[in-house]
């Protein structure tokens, strides 16, 4: 009788533990779109006061919603102006985000203070495991010369505050990458026109798997600057952050899981002893 009751108790404990373990394993296998900025509704039009075109319908909102997180609007460091003129053919940037600098400090790693960034607030009771970031970069205006480039630096929870100095000179980036600008039709050409006015380049997915178990408020930032001596404007589109949001197990669920493991270990030891 004792043996029967022991076996029944072991099964009773092990079954819910197995269910919990299966659910956790299944949840970890899924990847979510944590944040998505597609800038739908942005409309760059000719403006009598600025014939090069300006944005008349700025949309900086995230349109992905995952339980356990809150995503801020896209934000800008000092001297970035998302409503400024973007060069000839600005209407080609509809449903994208193009921007210009208020000061001409966009060509030096040491001096550039321009960054776009957003915050991911992980709510109490959840944790975030990042997977990747991807985006389309825009080269909206600039001189068509060999070896011109735009450089993007990706930061996750940078040491500096992008709202203050745009991460000027900061080196704690996750990735640092440049897109070369050659004549149209050549390898790595980023443009469909001689002035690069409609140039785009898909970047990513960039690996962020080192950032696991994040809680609280987290900052994701892109700093950007151009080649020395080359006047350029920039832009981004289809910014997507992927990862997994998991609920931190409640104490009761953890106890059930531990009891299940203990029961399984006990059964193995008894069968070995017999």
């Amino acid at each position: 009788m004792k043996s029967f009751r022991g076996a029944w108790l072991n099964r009773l404990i092990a079954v819910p533990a197995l269910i919990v373990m299966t659910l956790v394993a299944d949840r970890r296998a899924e990847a979510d779109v944590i944040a998505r900025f597609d800038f739908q509704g942005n409309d760059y039009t000719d403006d009598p006061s600025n014939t090069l075109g300006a944005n008349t319908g700025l949309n900086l909102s995230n349109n992905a919603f995952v339980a356990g997180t809150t995503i801020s609007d896209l934000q800008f460091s000092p001297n970035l102006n998302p409503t400024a003129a973007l060069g000839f053919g600005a209407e080609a940037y509809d449903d994208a985000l193009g921007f210009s600098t208020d000061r001409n400090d966009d060509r030096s790693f040491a001096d550039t203070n321009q960054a776009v960034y957003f915050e991911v607030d992980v709510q109490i009771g959840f944790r975030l495991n990042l997977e990747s970031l991807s985006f389309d970069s825009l080269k909206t205006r600039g001189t068509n010369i060999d070896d011109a480039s735009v450089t993007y630096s990706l930061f996750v929870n940078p040491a500096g505050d992008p709202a203050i100095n745009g991460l000027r000179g900061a080196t704690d980036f996750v990735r640092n990458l440049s897109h070369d600008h050659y004549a149209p039709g050549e390898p790595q050409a980023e443009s469909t026109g001689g002035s690069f006015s409609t140039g785009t380049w898909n970047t990513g997915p960039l690996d962020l798997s080192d950032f696991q178990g994040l809680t609280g408020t987290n900052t994701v930032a892109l700093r950007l600057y151009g080649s020395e001596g080359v006047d350029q404007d920039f832009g981004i589109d289809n910014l997507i952050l992927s990862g997994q949001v998991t609920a931190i197990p409640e104490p009761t669920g953890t106890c059930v899981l531990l009891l299940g493991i203990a029961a399984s270990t006990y059964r193995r030891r008894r069968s070995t002893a017999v």
Side-chain angles (χ1 to χ4, degrees):
M1 188 68 174
K2 276 186 178 180
S3 176
F4 173 77
R5 276 190 291 192
W8 178 84
L9 180 61
N10 287 339
R11 290 193 184 96
L12 183 64
I13 294 173
V15 168
L18 181 60
I19 292 173
V20 171
M21 293 173 71
T22 301
L23 289 175
V24 169
D26 288 345
R27 187 67 185 84
R28 286 179 178 171
E30 298 175 3
D32 297 316
V33 174
I34 306 300
R36 181 193 290 111
F37 296 87
D38 56 21
F39 309 110
Q40 294 297 306
N42 283 6
D43 184 19
Y44 289 94
T45 61
D46 289 336
D47 187 326
S49 63
N50 190 337
T51 57
L52 298 185
N55 188 10
T56 61
L58 196 61
N59 172 20
L60 303 174
S61 298
N62 160 63
N63 65 3
F65 301 95
V66 177
T69 63
T70 302
I71 312 298
S72 73
D73 284 353
L74 198 70
Q75 303 174 67
F76 302 86
S77 64
N79 301 322
L80 270 188
N81 183 359
T83 63
L86 296 177
F88 296 103
E91 67 278 0
Y93 312 131
D94 288 351
D95 294 328
L97 177 67
F99 38 84
S100 300
T101 54
D102 292 336
R103 295 174 55 191
N104 195 18
D105 58 359
D106 58 352
R107 310 176 200 172
S108 168
F109 169 78
D111 295 334
T112 188
N113 64 351
Q114 53 199 47
V116 294
Y117 65 98
F118 62 96
E119 295 174 339
V120 182
D121 185 34
V122 183
Q123 298 168 11
I124 295 174
F126 294 87
R127 61 188 172 195
L128 170 63
N129 298 327
L130 293 182
E131 182 174 290
S132 65
L133 180 84
S134 62
F135 62 96
D136 294 336
S137 69
L138 309 178
K139 169 68 162 54
T140 63
R141 180 176 63 90
T143 308
N144 184 13
I145 62 175
D146 289 343
D147 299 325
S149 64
V150 175
T151 299
Y152 292 85
S153 304
L154 169 61
F155 297 83
V156 176
N157 293 329
D161 185 350
I164 296 175
N165 64 10
L167 306 174
R168 177 181 297 170
T171 58
D172 61 328
F173 43 74
V174 179
R175 291 286 304 276
N176 198 53
L177 57 148
S178 296
H179 293 162
D180 295 327
H181 295 270
Y182 295 93
E186 294 185 8
Q188 293 185 302
E190 194 175 349
S191 172
T192 58
S195 66
F196 302 110
S197 61
T198 58
T200 61
W201 186 281
N202 180 255
T203 302
L206 305 177
D207 183 17
L208 294 179
S209 60
D210 286 343
F211 297 91
Q212 303 291 297
L214 301 179
T215 58
T217 300
N218 301 272
T219 300
V220 178
L222 283 173
R223 178 186 61 195
L224 52 153
Y225 58 97
S227 304
E228 293 282 352
V230 180
D231 188 14
Q232 301 181 85
D233 288 343
F234 310 95
I236 58 174
D237 198 6
N238 300 316
L239 180 63
I240 298 175
L241 179 69
S242 297
Q244 302 157 359
V245 179
T246 57
I248 298 174
E250 295 291 334
T252 302
T254 303
C255 288
V256 170
L257 183 60
L258 292 176
L259 284 171
I261 294 172
S264 178
T265 303
Y266 173 73
R267 287 198 305 275
R268 285 200 301 270
R269 287 179 177 174
R270 283 201 58 176
S271 61
T272 302
V274 172

